[in-house]
Structures are given as structure tokens and as C-alpha cells.
Amino acid sequence: MTREERTRWFLHDRFGMFIHWGLYAIPARGEWVKSNERITTEAYQPYFEEFNPIRYNPREWAKAAKEAGMKYAVLTTKHHDGFCLFDSKLTAYKATNTPAGRDLVREYVDAFRAEGLAVGFYYSIIDWHHPDYPAVGNHPMRENEEYLAKPVNFDNYLDYMHGQVRELLTDYGKIDIMWFDYSFDDMTGEKWRATELINMMRGIQPHIVIDNRLGGNIKKREPEVYAGDFYSPEQIIPPGGIVNEAGEQIPWEACITLNGHWGYHATDKEYKSPKQVVRALVECVSKNGNLLLNVGPDAKGEIPRESLDILAEVGKWMRRNGDSVYGCGLADRPKPEWGRYTQNGSKLYAHILDRGIGPVYFQGLKGKVRKARLLADGAELKVEVPWMAGHYGDTATGAFISLPITLPDDADTV
Ligand code: JFZ
């Protein structure tokens, strides 16, 4: 399969749920807490012995994602702390050995598939727990000098890492996305035996869409086999979208948190508004990208109320305006001053983000608008040229569309 064939559904669906969940939900200070606070493996162990998400019901998570208009999800199967949410045969450091006593990944896959969403796995190639992962970069998982001096056999770790990826792609049915995280400095590409890894993966699930964090350069005309299927900007929407060396659009997905943390953080209440989320999604699609919006469930297994409320509001907008997102992408015209265009074939969607006064001006569309409708309620919109327009030289090629004075509360898409 070509990258274009693999990513066709991904570029159509545009909007996914990222889920960062693990032992770090107990300290509730984000997923990097072990590293940031130099917590030793010994001091982190009580979280393992205590982990028991009694209210974990991934069907509720899947319904919240579906109601928000999301079409796929990506769950952390193992984050940097090395704790596995799945029943790996290669380690005892897994959810089935905690009081939870269950394969949390299997329940996630079953629940999201049951709600009709595509299913993805996040997998950290960095591992602060495995004895043969070295202390490199800013990953001080070796807590003391004696531990730092201990020699490691990195190939043993790579056998473990490859083996777990094989487990994930063999034991849980059809998986749609593999979201690796992350290469850094010289720890990239073949340092992970990435070609061998990708070839193994494609042998098991040839259709699977893979991110670009194994390394390589996805922007090359001929990228490495492990450079991935999509570019993965984080906490930012790339100003001009993402193109390769030849100027060709390449698939990308911006991953963004709802507050300031990926993993559950009990006191971070700085959440983005539903309107900010909708605008971020529209901006991504207008630049031919996807949005992977994160939730960080708590130690009991529940998505924070604030996140659920935002997702519900976004879902209201998506139910009335989703046609301007799904199957849409970069428009064949420059960004207008009042907002963003998205386009699907001959249908042009105008997202009026900064309305101004009077009719909205559409540069270059004179005589080209067959009909205009407010997407939220289907109301007809008048295409008309205001009598003063003749006096403005730059309107010779434009069209003016008049909008109702009061738009339906969530309708700003024409
Ligand atoms: C990584 C993780 O460390 C983080 O916890 C979260 O899972 C996020 C989605 O991915 O964050 C990164 C990855 C790479 C860089 C910075 C943060 N980088 O290359 O600077």
C-alpha cells in the first residue's frame, strides 16, 4: 500500500482523541512527573502497587469522543515510565499485575471499535524502567551513581521494544494508527533498528498509519521507510501547513492538550474554550491537517469533567458544521482576511471567524458562487453587490455574501 492509500481515511476523518493515562495519574502532576521530580523507581513503585481505576469504563470515553465528532483515538499503551497498560508477556510491569488486574488496552480497543471509531496506539520508544535502556538525553531514569555506572545491553532493550510492538499488532485485532514517541539527538532511525521494526509492522498490519517520531525526514522526496506517514507537530499548528522538499502537501496531525498537561494534573485548570478547540480544528483542516485533541483520565479511570464539558460543546458545533471538516482540506484559494476556507471538491466552506460589518467579501469569486447557505441551519444567503462596491477598485473580481445579523449561536460557517 502507498502512503496515500494508507492515509486516505485518516485525512478524511481529521479529528481524533489522544488519551494519556497511566500510573502518573496517581501523583496527578503530569506524565513526566517521575523525571521532573527525579522520583526513583523504588519511590514510584507504590503507584504500581496502588493502581486500581475502579471507574474505568472506556465505553464512556468512546461515547464522549464520538459525541464530540471525533473519528479515531490514540491511547498510551506504554509511556516513558515503562508501565504497560496491556498484558505484555515480556514484562511484569503491566496493568494486569496491579490491583486493576485487567488488560486496559483490550477494553479500550473493544469499546472504541464498538462506537465505530478507528483505534490507535501510542507507544514510547523511550523507557525509564527497562534495565537495558541507557541514561541518555534528558531521560535521567538512572536515579543514582551506582545505577548510572551499570552497563546496559541496548540491543536487549530493542528486542523488548520490537517484541512489544509485535504483541500490540498481533493480539488486539486491526489497529489503525501506531503513534511512536520519540526520537532525539542521535537516538533516531536505525538506533532503534527502525527499518527492521517498520518491516515487521507492515508484515502484520500493512494498512497501519504510522507517525514520524521514529526518525528520518518525512519531508524528503524519498523519505526513509521509517520516516512515517504523517508529521506530528505538538502544541502548535504549523503556520503554513506541511509540505515536502518538492512543495507537495504531506499528511500531518497537530496534537494539542486541553489544559497544559498530557497526563492527568489535578490543579491545572487552564483549559482551552470550546471555541478555541473548534478554531484549532478548522485551522488544521484549512491547512490540510488533522487535530488530535488530548484528554488525561484520572487515577479512577475518568476523563476530567472540564474536558467532557468542552468535548460536548465541540460536538454541538460538529453536528451542525461537520461537513466543513470531514473529507475537507486545503482550499484552492488564499486565506481570506475574515477567517479560513476549507474545501471538499466543488464545495467551498467559509469559516467566518472575524466577521466585521456588512456583507462578507469573497475575493475572486465574482460569478462563481452558484448558491450560498448557512451550514448550521441551511438558510439561504444572498449573494449581492452593495451599491457602493463599484467605487472600490479591488472588488472587480469579488463577490459579497450577506449574513443574517444574528447567526445561530454556533454557526459561523458558510
Ligand atoms: C512527547 C512526550 O514526552 C510527552 O509526554 C507527550 O506524550 C507528547 C505527546 O510527546 O513530548 C515531546 C516530544 C518531543 C519533544 C518534546 C516533547 N521534542 O522533540 O522536543
Side-chain angles (χ1 to χ4, degrees):
M1 287 178 91
T2 64
R3 180 173 79 191
E4 191 199 353
E5 288 165 333
R6 286 194 296 270
T7 58
R8 190 164 293 134
W9 71 268
F10 182 68
L11 296 181
H12 174 276
D13 287 357
R14 291 297 184 202
F15 190 25
M17 176 183 272
F18 212 174
I19 308 165
H20 277 72
W21 193 40
L23 297 182
Y24 43 78
I26 297 175
R29 300 189 293 276
E31 76 291 351
W32 269 72
V33 65
K34 186 175 190 286
S35 178
N36 292 343
E37 299 181 15
R38 298 291 185 274
I39 300 174
T40 64
T41 298
E42 186 185 2
Y44 201 75
Q45 188 59 14
Y47 302 138
F48 177 86
E49 285 152 10
E50 177 186 326
F51 187 63
N52 189 11
I54 53 173
R55 291 197 286 274
Y56 173 54
N57 179 352
R59 201 68 186 265
E60 289 174 1
W61 296 5
K63 288 181 192 301
K66 186 177 182 179
E67 286 300 300
M70 294 164 160
K71 297 292 186 182
Y72 64 96
V74 177
L75 169 71
T76 52
T77 60
K78 182 194 84 165
H79 205 266
H80 307 336
D81 62 2
F83 176 69
C84 299
L85 280 67
F86 62 105
D87 188 22
S88 171
K89 302 295 176 287
L90 304 178
T91 180
Y93 201 51
K94 58 185 178 178
T96 39
N97 287 347
T98 68
R102 42 208 279 213
D103 185 328
L104 305 170
V105 167
R106 176 152 329 271
E107 293 182 43
Y108 151 79
V109 170
D110 294 347
F112 278 74
R113 285 229 168 283
E115 291 297 329
L117 276 79
V119 164
F121 290 157
Y122 165 110
Y123 183 85
S124 174
I125 50 183
I126 292 165
D127 193 310
W128 298 335
H129 183 85
H130 194 282
D132 281 319
Y133 186 91
V136 287
N138 63 343
H139 301 284
M141 71 305 299
R142 296 290 175 268
E143 296 85 21
N144 55 45
E145 289 312 311
E146 176 243 334
Y147 213 22
L148 278 170
K150 195 165 159 284
V152 297
N153 179 331
F154 191 48
D155 247 345
N156 276 353
Y157 169 69
L158 293 181
D159 291 343
Y160 170 79
M161 185 261 276
H162 285 221
Q164 287 202 318
V165 171
R166 180 184 292 278
E167 288 183 309
L168 286 167
L169 299 192
T170 304
D171 302 340
Y172 296 90
K174 180 176 180 289
I175 303 305
D176 301 289
I177 300 170
M178 196 72 184
W179 216 99
F180 287 112
D181 193 35
Y182 61 90
S183 291
F184 58 95
D185 303 340
D186 66 350
M187 291 293 285
T188 185
E190 290 309 334
K191 271 289 180 69
W192 306 113
R193 294 184 351 219
T195 300
E196 174 194 332
L197 181 63
I198 292 292
N199 290 341
M200 177 267 285
M201 294 171 65
R202 295 252 176 262
I204 302 170
Q205 306 229 16
H207 62 278
I208 196 165
V209 172
I210 302 171
D211 74 331
N212 69 318
R213 295 191 177 194
L214 277 179
N217 180 359
I218 191 174
K219 295 182 181 179
K220 291 197 311 196
R221 282 175 186 272
E222 301 291 334
E224 299 82 351
V225 68
Y226 50 76
D229 297 312
F230 66 92
Y231 197 78
S232 58
E234 178 175 327
Q235 302 286 42
I236 187 173
I237 297 173
I242 305 286
V243 294
N244 67 9
E245 290 168 336
E248 298 154 337
Q249 295 290 322
I250 54 175
W252 61 271
E253 172 197 76
C255 56
I256 293 174
T257 55
L258 270 174
N259 57 8
H261 290 83
W262 300 101
Y264 182 66
H265 193 292
T267 59
D268 177 357
K269 301 299 181 184
E270 292 288 311
Y271 283 88
K272 296 169 181 70
S273 68
K275 196 159 191 83
Q276 282 180 293
V277 171
V278 166
R279 287 190 173 207
L281 176 60
V282 163
E283 184 177 353
C284 286
V285 177
S286 75
K287 297 171 177 175
N288 222 36
N290 286 26
L291 174 63
L292 188 63
L293 185 65
N294 184 75
V295 296
D298 63 25
K300 295 295 185 187
E302 292 192 299
I303 294 172
R305 180 76 260 155
E306 296 90 340
S307 298
L308 292 173
D309 291 345
I310 295 163
L311 292 179
E313 285 304 305
V314 171
K316 287 178 189 169
W317 185 91
M318 285 298 283
R319 269 186 292 285
R320 291 154 59 103
N321 297 281
D323 286 354
S324 68
V325 168
Y326 305 128
C328 295
L330 185 71
D332 58 8
R333 54 191 52 258
K335 180 175 86 69
E337 62 184 10
W338 37 257
R340 294 279 190 282
Y341 284 124
T342 57
Q343 185 163 345
N344 183 351
S346 65
K347 284 203 172 178
L348 183 67
Y349 296 95
H351 299 267
I352 317 288
L353 306 179
D354 177 8
R355 174 149 179 215
I357 57 162
V360 180
Y361 181 62
F362 291 76
Q363 180 79 35
L365 285 182
K366 190 167 195 170
K368 295 181 180 176
V369 179
R370 284 198 305 278
K371 67 177 181 178
R373 295 288 182 274
L374 201 57
L375 191 54
D377 62 7
E380 181 182 20
L381 298 171
K382 290 283 183 216
V383 183
E384 53 197 359
V385 180
W387 67 276
M388 282 293 287
H391 295 264
Y392 314 134
D394 65 349
T395 60
T397 64
F400 290 85
I401 294 179
S402 295
L403 297 182
I405 296 299
T406 52
L407 291 175
D409 50 7
D410 65 349
D412 54 12
T413 302
V414 170

